[in-house]
Amino acid sequence: MREPETNHFRHCVRRRIGRGKHRWGQKRIRVAMAGNPNSKRIRIALAGNPNSGKTSIFNALTGQRQHIGNYPGVTVEKKSGVISVDGKLVEFIDLPGTYSLSAYSIEEVVSRDFVLNEKPDVIIDILDSTNLERHLYLLLQFQELGVPIVGALNMSDEADTKGIRIDSEQLGAILGIPFVKTIGSTGGGVDQLLDVALKVADGELDSNRRHLNYGKEVELAHNAIIDALETDVTFRKRYSLHWMAIKLLEKDQDAIKKIKKEHRFADTVLEITAERQKRLERYFQEDSEVIIGEQRYAYIHGALKETVSTVRKRKGIDVTESIDRIVLNRYLGLPIFMAVMFLIYEMTFALGNPLSDGISILFVRLSRIISAVLPAGPLQDLLTNGIINGVGGVLTFLPLVTLLFLGLSFLEDTGYMARAAFVMDKLFHIFGLHGRSFIPFMISTGCAVPGIMSARVLSNRKDRIVTILVAPLMMCGAKAPVIAMLVAAFFPEHATLIFLGIWLFGWVMAFIIALIFKKSLFRGEHTPFVMELPPYRRPSLKSVIIHMWGKASEYVKKAGTIILAASIVVWFLLSYPKPSPETIAESPREPSVVYSYAGRIGKGIEPVLKLAGFDWKVGVSLVAGVAAKEVIISTFGILYGMDNNVTENQSHVEFFVKDQLIRDPAYSPLMAFALMLFIMIYIPCLATLAIVKKELGSWKWPAFQAAYTLLVAFTMAVAVYQIGGLLGLGV
Amino acid sequence: MVLSESQQDYLKIVLDLINEKKVARVNDIARRKAVSMPSVTEAMRKLARDGFVYYSAREFVELTPKGLRTAHRLCSKNTFLKNFLVDVLDIDTDMAEKEACELEHHLSLSTLERFILLYQFLGECHKNNRITLDLFKKCIRITEGNGDKAEECQSCFVASNFPHHPGKNTVHTLLSQLERGQEARIIKLGPDPDIRRKIIEKGILPGTKITVETVGGDNRNFELQTDGFLVEISPEAADMIETAVEQKNEFRRLSDLKTGQKFKVQKIYAKGEIRRRLLDIGFIKNEKGKIIREALLKDPIEIEIKGMKVSLRRSEARLICVDEVK
Ligand SMILES: Nc1nc2c(ncn2[C@@H]2O[C@H](COP(=O)(O)OP(=O)(O)OP(=O)(O)O)[C@@H](O)[C@H]2O)c(=O)[nH]1
Ligand SMILES: [Mg+2]
């Protein structure tokens, strides 16, 4: 694969467009298209089983940086990238992995529909050379579609080390398809692959001249169905009848639907199909879809017998199995998993906290400079208290987010994620969730924003929505100081115990509410857990960094847009309208917040809040806390008349507020307890709501999330306060 | 088209031979019927002309679909009558065989039906100690009459309180409850006379052995195989037929196997998405696999199949039928 002319080819012939960011490529291409409308774009789809290395090859071909991970189902949307070869535009489309063309899950439907409806010029089927038997199964189905195919014998490095020798020429001759050996992770053989694919697209190279012969009986049935299908001329033009007939025999729901909708003589076709199916099933004493599957595998088996030989190089140990023996051990599995998660968590916070502190000091400095440079007034106030406080507050978490994702991408690339799902599935399944939900849950105990982003590991949309909806109920880095302060103020004797209790409360609530959602709003079949456990692989630094970088930049982008807007709004609510000079003269001790919109809202809702024992000050802090949970403390500080320009030292503020709270006669331990429960559950911070919108694509979800959390939180707080009051606890 | 007695006999012999030896040769037929070869040839020509058999000189005799249908009906009738004579009238087997052959040519459908009813009645109702002719007649009256159809005789016919007489290894169920490929013996035909007559006409009589070919439902007919002949019956009829099923040692479910055990896939009971997934991932008949390990609470389990490690929930593994492999 490492021929000398390869590099030459790369330099001289090909001019890459869109090296770097995906959008770039798109933009440039649009320009190119406008300038030269005659240039015909060749479209090449990258398809194959999950985890076969499609995205790796895609990245190598287009120079993009799409997410790669060592578990099935990383890619969930199709991604495209365009390059130019010899002045011709070539578009590559990276598809989610599928095991067959009878698609069930969303990402499989994406792939299937693309291949069926958009009819790419060439399909490159990325195959795992170490397990050709299974991977060729999909290739045969593509072959039936009648689209030109090129087979990429990927992971050929792994096949070599395993001593698997593939005669690709011979295999190509048998199947009637050109094959190229590739190594996706290093880009080896990719140039040759492109070369062959383009030749196939131009018709220089033959591909796909052969159909698998299913044996006399099946072929008879198949031909009869094709005859029936041929009666509709328009239908004949639209679909490959050969393929359609096989799908009908396989009882494919989608094919049946298509016939019913689009074929003029649907009834006859289906009748003939049913009759033929019956005959076959009688003959083979087996369901027709099983018969076809068996025939395909038998064919593959035959083809591989002639072309693949395994030479045992040396009796090496099966690394994956040896690791799994420990990592997935019945009793060790869970503790090891916990330890791994704890380690990542520890690493994140140990390394991240100093960095975060550094960033927050930077922002304080900045705000000092602004205060010094700009004259006091609304603008200065907006910049320092509004924007820097808000955006800065979110950016302080950047190191944490980045480090967390560094750890997680590392795990993803090794192949441990699939194992984690295996270990955790039972527990999560009890609550109607999938084992993979553990990842977003765990991350959310650090910060819900990256937690929600990581919910992408869930392929089923319902599972994903439920997980995203409940993930913010966890204790997070911003809630922790608030809760810790309240605990210290009101429960000094049992501080640790109460804090841990509240921490657990978050988890329990998340599980319970997930179960309720699963049983009510998101009812439906459980997604099958059938999941491949890929072999462990050495993570490549490149892809880990790429992934981490992607997440971090997403996070920064968010801070620059939605958080910026939100902080301005919150700042405005807290500072306007200003009290009139007379009122200041009347009661100079009252902080000006009292007269602001936020203050008025607080006062306005006080009667309702009283049910839970909260007064208006709590109300204002809670309203402000929607921006970010840690703001609750500083708002308390402001309300108690603390000068908010000395807020550099966070612990100082906490101490001050704690002191004030203890002294305030309006607050009892019972009310504090209700307040803690409320803070744990109520409306997630704006950053979280914004990311929920981004991930689920509609404002409907964050709105619903805000509403239900508020409702649950308030009900809980009222119940605790009222019942506690009746029982005379902690009043 | 009325067949003579001897023609009917020929048809039956041909069917018997086909079932026994796969082919019916003229000399075998002659031996069995104890006649000379030429007369067989002659008779076959005639039958061929009427469209019951395929026959050209010196070759095997094959039944046409029409011939198969007729022969099958004759045979099942014959078997039933033989059972009746032996079981009810206590006639010895040889005699019964001979008599049944004679009887069957002369019985009209309605008389045959009465025989069947009597057979059922005597076979099942004696436990009530009410075996009187009166009761028997009443029983017939009730099911023939249109009014309170079968209310009283419910338990004598097809009833819901199965099993009546579960044998050592048999379970009684309605035919409609059988799965595809299951073999069963017909026990009773239900109370509705119209449907019952149709069932009898199709050669489904008490004692007949059947294999379910297609499970019907809604508007789809059930298809049963008896002696290589295919019979369709309506879903309503299937609801009125009680059958006895031999309980075989079923295949084991994948979920019942222990860690380290090897297996061979037999069948997948799952439906919809899970079925497709399992088939796609390689759970094809006769595929070999191995259970590698199970998680803490024995769920999920890890399996190696087609060179790949797969994890499955136990509830999913339960839907896979396997054979243990040593
Ligand atoms: N050793 C080796 N590893 C490879 C090769 N190609 C890809 N990989 C690794 O295989 C894993 C899966 O690669 P991806 O490119 O994410 O696979 P995919 O087909 O896009 O997967 P899905 O999007 O989940 O369908 C990653 O860990 C890659 O680093 C290869 O040729 N050799
Ligand atoms: Mg991918």
Side-chain angles (χ1 to χ4, degrees):
Chain A
M1 256 98 302
R2 214 167 290 122
E3 294 134 48
E5 68 268 19
T6 312
N7 258 339
H8 172 78
F9 178 70
R10 184 191 294 247
H11 286 303
C12 303
V13 185
R14 183 144 45 119
R15 182 173 60 89
R16 290 185 186 227
I17 296 182
R19 225 188 199 295
K21 271 209 186 141
H22 172 49
R23 266 187 305 124
W24 255 95
Q26 289 277 345
K27 218 177 258 168
R28 295 265 289 269
I29 279 320
R30 232 171 270 138
V31 174
M33 293 293 282
N36 182 6
N38 292 334
S39 68
K40 190 180 158 282
R41 206 192 268 216
I42 299 171
R43 293 197 308 164
I44 301 180
L46 299 173
N49 283 18
N51 210 40
S52 60
K54 297 175 292 299
T55 309
S56 305
I57 300 251
F58 176 79
N59 286 352
L61 280 166
T62 62
Q64 286 199 19
R65 297 194 213 119
Q66 295 300 341
H67 185 188
I68 292 167
N70 189 18
Y71 60 85
V74 179
T75 308
V76 289
E77 297 159 330
K78 59 170 190 256
K79 295 272 159 62
S80 80
V82 186
I83 61 169
S84 142
V85 184
D86 290 342
K88 261 185 296 185
L89 294 179
V90 184
E91 180 181 5
F92 291 97
I93 300 100
D94 181 25
L95 296 173
T98 60
Y99 288 107
S100 77
L101 282 180
S102 339
Y104 272 95
S105 65
I106 317 163
E107 74 266 22
E108 285 180 345
V109 173
V110 170
S111 296
R112 174 195 175 130
D113 284 357
F114 184 83
V115 171
L116 284 188
N117 303 339
E118 315 244 327
K119 302 211 173 67
D121 298 300
V122 181
I123 294 178
I124 298 185
D125 189 350
I126 317 280
L127 309 149
D128 178 351
S129 307
T130 60
N131 194 353
L132 275 185
E133 189 179 359
R134 161 191 313 288
H135 285 249
L136 284 174
Y137 186 78
L138 181 67
L139 186 122
L140 290 188
Q141 299 188 40
F142 282 134
Q143 221 175 3
E144 266 147 23
L145 268 178
V147 189
I149 308 169
V150 176
L153 297 169
N154 198 30
M155 315 248 174
S156 50
D157 53 336
E158 284 188 5
D160 281 346
T161 44
K162 282 196 175 169
I164 300 170
R165 291 230 188 94
I166 302 166
D167 183 346
S168 54
E169 296 266 314
Q170 177 73 9
L171 185 63
I174 293 176
L175 297 178
I177 286 172
F179 283 94
V180 180
K181 291 190 184 176
T182 57
I183 305 173
S185 39
T186 61
V190 164
D191 289 305
Q192 204 193 342
L193 179 68
L194 175 67
D195 202 27
V196 170
L198 289 179
K199 275 191 185 146
V200 168
D202 289 347
E204 270 177 61
L205 252 177
D206 254 359
S207 168
N208 197 15
R209 276 296 148 96
R210 234 152 289 167
H211 288 309
L212 150 67
N213 186 324
Y214 284 97
K216 201 176 113 215
E217 285 75 24
V218 180
E219 287 297 315
L220 274 176
H222 185 216
N223 289 338
I225 297 173
I226 291 184
D227 286 347
L229 284 171
E230 264 179 351
T231 49
D232 185 335
V233 182
T234 46
F235 193 87
R236 198 164 71 194
K237 283 193 192 124
R238 211 172 304 150
Y239 297 103
S240 150
L241 297 189
H242 181 91
W243 181 79
M244 204 40 113
I246 283 288
K247 283 286 133 184
L248 283 177
L249 273 181
E250 278 191 281
K251 302 180 188 155
D252 184 87
Q253 290 308 314
D254 196 61
I256 294 172
K257 224 187 286 163
K258 277 209 172 92
I259 296 285
K260 276 190 185 149
K261 224 165 65 195
E262 298 175 42
H263 201 281
R264 267 209 297 163
F265 309 106
D267 291 344
T268 329
V269 170
L270 293 180
E271 216 169 88
I272 289 175
T273 309
E275 199 246 313
R276 289 294 170 162
Q277 250 164 18
K278 235 185 257 166
R279 270 203 227 175
L280 276 183
E281 293 182 351
R282 201 173 302 142
Y283 186 87
F284 287 97
Q285 289 287 313
E286 194 59 80
D287 288 331
S288 59
E289 67 259 44
V290 177
I291 301 166
I292 289 175
E294 273 175 10
Q295 299 283 353
R296 281 197 193 122
Y297 273 122
Y299 180 70
I300 294 170
H301 197 76
L304 291 184
K305 218 174 207 169
E306 294 176 39
T307 53
V308 176
S309 57
T310 310
V311 273
R312 271 277 152 91
K313 277 198 169 161
R314 63 192 138 83
K315 258 186 93 185
I317 35 162
D318 185 346
V319 182
T320 297
E321 181 52 30
S322 336
I323 298 178
D324 274 348
R325 212 167 281 161
I326 303 163
V327 164
L328 291 185
N329 178 291
R330 259 187 85 183
Y331 305 102
L332 290 180
L334 199 59
I336 289 180
F337 174 63
M338 295 289 188
V340 167
M341 278 298 161
F342 181 76
L343 232 101
I344 290 198
Y345 207 60
E346 263 305 295
M347 186 243 357
T348 304
F349 286 96
L351 294 181
N353 272 336
L355 288 174
S356 287
D357 289 349
I359 291 185
S360 89
I361 288 173
L362 247 138
F363 277 111
V364 172
R365 295 264 156 83
L366 184 66
S367 109
R368 283 246 190 87
I369 293 170
I370 289 175
S371 311
V373 173
L374 286 180
L379 181 62
Q380 185 214 36
D381 199 37
L382 170 67
L383 285 177
T384 54
N385 285 330
I387 295 175
I388 291 185
N389 252 358
V391 174
V394 172
L395 284 184
T396 16
F397 287 108
L398 182 62
L400 295 182
V401 172
T402 314
L403 284 167
L404 204 50
F405 274 102
L406 178 73
L408 289 175
S409 349
F410 179 80
L411 281 196
E412 262 183 23
D413 265 23
T414 57
Y416 185 71
M417 278 309 188
R419 271 83 184 172
F422 180 80
V423 172
M424 292 307 294
D425 183 66
K426 184 71 191 179
L427 176 67
F428 276 71
H429 192 54
I430 295 173
F431 294 96
L433 291 168
H434 196 275
R436 285 186 180 169
S437 296
F438 189 82
I439 298 159
F441 274 36
M442 194 66 208
I443 300 174
S444 294
T445 59
C447 176
V449 173
I452 282 165
M453 287 202 277
S454 72
R456 293 196 187 163
V457 291
L458 294 161
S459 58
N460 178 282
R461 191 170 160 83
K462 282 183 181 171
D463 286 348
R464 199 169 147 216
I465 295 176
V466 172
T467 305
I468 288 178
L469 285 180
V470 301
L473 300 183
M474 306 282 164
M475 173 83 77
C476 72
K479 286 181 207 168
V482 186
I483 302 289
M485 184 203 76
L486 287 169
V487 170
F490 293 97
F491 307 94
E493 292 103 72
H494 308 287
T496 327
L497 204 67
I498 300 264
F499 186 83
L500 270 179
I502 300 277
W503 188 85
L504 260 182
F505 170 77
W507 278 88
V508 171
M509 284 306 287
F511 274 126
I512 292 175
I513 291 177
L515 186 64
I516 293 171
F517 281 159
K518 261 297 199 194
K519 287 261 135 87
S520 56
L521 294 177
F522 300 96
R523 231 180 298 157
E525 264 181 54
H526 288 297
T527 12
F529 187 62
V530 189
M531 178 185 69
E532 201 176 331
L533 297 173
Y536 287 106
R537 297 203 163 95
R538 194 175 303 126
S540 86
L541 187 66
K542 198 177 105 200
S543 80
V544 169
I545 302 264
I546 285 172
H547 186 202
M548 186 187 79
W549 181 251
K551 293 285 174 188
S553 57
E554 245 171 67
Y555 192 78
V556 171
K557 229 181 282 161
K558 189 193 55 160
T561 51
I562 187 98
I563 298 296
L564 179 66
S567 15
I568 294 174
V569 171
V570 172
W571 166 80
F572 182 77
L573 288 178
L574 279 169
S575 359
Y576 287 96
K578 295 271 183 222
S580 60
E582 303 93 69
T583 40
I584 295 181
E586 261 170 45
S587 45
R589 293 288 306 149
E590 284 271 27
S592 60
V593 189
V594 177
Y595 305 99
S596 70
Y597 291 116
R600 289 177 198 192
I601 293 172
K603 291 231 152 155
I605 57 176
E606 191 168 27
V608 184
L609 292 181
K610 266 282 171 244
L611 287 173
F614 305 163
D615 67 359
W616 71 272
K617 284 186 197 133
V618 176
V620 174
S621 309
L622 290 177
V623 171
V626 174
K629 293 292 147 69
E630 60 271 46
V631 175
I632 293 176
I633 298 179
S634 56
T635 314
F636 264 127
I638 296 168
L639 291 173
Y640 280 112
M642 190 174 194
D643 180 358
N644 64 5
N645 269 340
V646 284
T647 52
E648 180 173 341
N649 193 335
Q650 187 73 15
S651 54
H652 182 70
V653 185
E654 275 172 35
F655 187 77
F656 173 79
V657 173
K658 195 176 113 189
D659 200 42
Q660 292 289 335
L661 285 177
I662 296 172
R663 274 198 241 148
D664 197 323
Y667 300 149
S668 63
L670 178 63
M671 171 268 172
F673 192 71
L675 181 59
M676 286 193 292
L677 298 190
F678 189 89
I679 291 175
M680 279 304 287
I681 301 172
Y682 93 112
I683 313 184
C685 65
L686 283 178
T688 305
L689 291 175
I691 203 76
V692 170
K693 190 258 158 180
K694 181 156 183 301
E695 292 295 302
L696 295 180
S698 141
W699 279 110
K700 187 176 83 184
W701 293 114
F704 171 71
Q705 191 175 32
Y708 100 78
T709 47
L710 187 60
L711 192 74
V712 173
F714 190 65
T715 323
M716 294 242 44
V718 171
V720 166
Y721 186 73
Q722 298 296 347
I723 295 171
L726 284 178
L727 299 178
L729 293 170
V731 230
Chain B
M1 167 84 247
V2 182
L3 287 170
S4 72
E5 270 174 47
S6 106
Q7 276 178 317
Q8 292 185 7
D9 286 341
Y10 272 120
L11 279 182
K12 268 180 1 200
I13 289 169
V14 171
L15 182 64
D16 273 349
L17 284 170
I18 288 176
N19 280 340
E20 271 168 42
K21 307 185 173 181
K22 301 270 176 266
V23 287
R25 276 183 247 262
V26 172
N27 56 355
D28 286 335
I29 300 174
R31 195 170 318 129
R32 203 153 289 188
K33 198 160 192 296
V35 292
S36 68
M37 297 254 287
S39 49
V40 175
T41 319
E42 176 59 32
M44 286 304 127
R45 284 224 181 85
K46 232 186 208 156
L47 282 173
R49 203 188 51 218
D50 294 338
F52 287 98
V53 299
Y54 298 119
Y55 174 73
S56 49
R58 298 201 149 272
E59 273 191 45
F60 310 122
V61 181
E62 272 186 84
L63 289 170
T64 62
K66 180 174 158 196
L68 185 59
R69 207 181 314 136
T70 321
H72 165 260
R73 230 175 264 167
L74 291 170
C75 272
S76 65
K77 202 154 115 186
N78 177 279
T79 321
F80 167 74
L81 285 170
K82 201 176 74 199
N83 287 347
F84 182 87
L85 294 179
V86 174
D87 295 348
V88 179
L89 305 182
D90 204 20
I91 295 167
D92 71 280
T93 324
D94 289 344
M95 181 74 143
E97 212 151 290
K98 222 177 94 214
E99 300 264 74
C101 281
E102 317 245 294
L103 262 176
E104 69 181 12
H105 302 302
H106 305 290
L107 283 180
S108 70
L109 180 63
S110 54
T111 317
L112 177 66
E113 193 192 352
R114 291 289 162 92
F115 269 114
I116 290 167
L117 289 177
L118 180 62
Y119 185 76
Q120 292 180 181
F121 179 82
L122 295 176
E124 300 291 351
C125 288
H126 63 265
K127 60 182 171 195
N128 298 333
N129 258 342
R130 291 184 292 166
I131 327 168
T132 64
L133 209 54
D134 276 354
L135 246 180
F136 181 48
K137 280 178 184 162
K138 187 177 161 207
C139 202
I140 289 170
R141 268 203 310 280
I142 288 170
T143 78
E144 298 275 72
N146 291 328
D148 47 350
K149 213 177 261 177
E151 286 267 319
E152 277 172 62
C153 274
Q154 195 58 269
S155 69
C156 274
F157 293 95
V158 176
S160 48
N161 52 342
F162 298 123
H164 287 311
H165 291 294
K168 246 196 190 148
N169 288 320
T170 58
V171 177
H172 287 210
T173 47
L174 291 179
L175 190 111
S176 53
Q177 304 295 313
L178 296 181
E179 283 182 36
R180 219 188 86 202
Q182 257 189 321
E183 287 177 14
R185 200 163 47 85
I186 305 293
I187 298 292
K188 280 185 200 171
L189 305 179
D192 185 311
D194 297 335
I195 297 182
R196 185 169 60 216
R197 237 165 253 148
K198 269 188 209 143
I199 300 173
I200 295 170
E201 261 185 303
K202 286 183 174 156
I204 306 285
L205 310 184
T208 310
K209 276 215 169 96
I210 55 120
T211 313
V212 181
E213 279 289 329
T214 314
V215 177
D218 297 334
N219 292 320
R220 283 214 304 158
N221 283 343
F222 282 72
E223 286 185 331
L224 313 174
Q225 203 202 116
T226 82
D227 294 331
F229 183 71
L230 212 63
V231 181
E232 279 198 35
I233 61 165
S234 66
E236 299 87 64
D239 269 334
M240 290 181 40
I241 302 174
E242 180 184 339
T243 63
V245 187
E246 285 267 325
Q247 281 219 299
K248 275 193 223 129
N249 284 338
E250 277 245 315
F251 293 122
R252 301 187 64 176
R253 302 295 175 108
L254 182 55
S255 53
D256 298 335
L257 299 192
K258 294 203 180 62
T259 306
Q261 269 183 320
K262 291 185 182 152
F263 61 85
K264 213 158 127 192
V265 178
Q266 287 302 333
K267 201 173 174 61
I268 295 179
Y269 286 137
K271 295 238 153 56
E273 178 173 2
I274 299 184
R275 178 186 181 87
R276 197 68 250 172
R277 262 281 140 74
L278 292 172
L279 287 176
D280 287 345
I281 226 162
F283 283 89
I284 290 279
K285 191 167 177 179
N286 290 333
E287 187 64 41
K288 284 188 192 133
K290 182 182 170 192
I291 300 199
I292 299 183
R293 60 172 62 82
E294 41 195 30
L296 185 57
L297 296 168
K298 299 196 163 216
D299 191 15
I301 51 182
E302 184 183 337
I303 282 163
E304 186 173 329
I305 192 160
K306 273 218 189 292
M308 188 174 94
K309 308 246 168 86
V310 183
S311 74
L312 282 179
R313 289 199 182 119
R314 213 159 260 281
S315 56
E316 287 153 2
R318 195 160 31 240
L319 301 173
I320 303 169
C321 237
V322 296
D323 245 359
E324 239 177 278
V325 176
K326 286 285 155 329

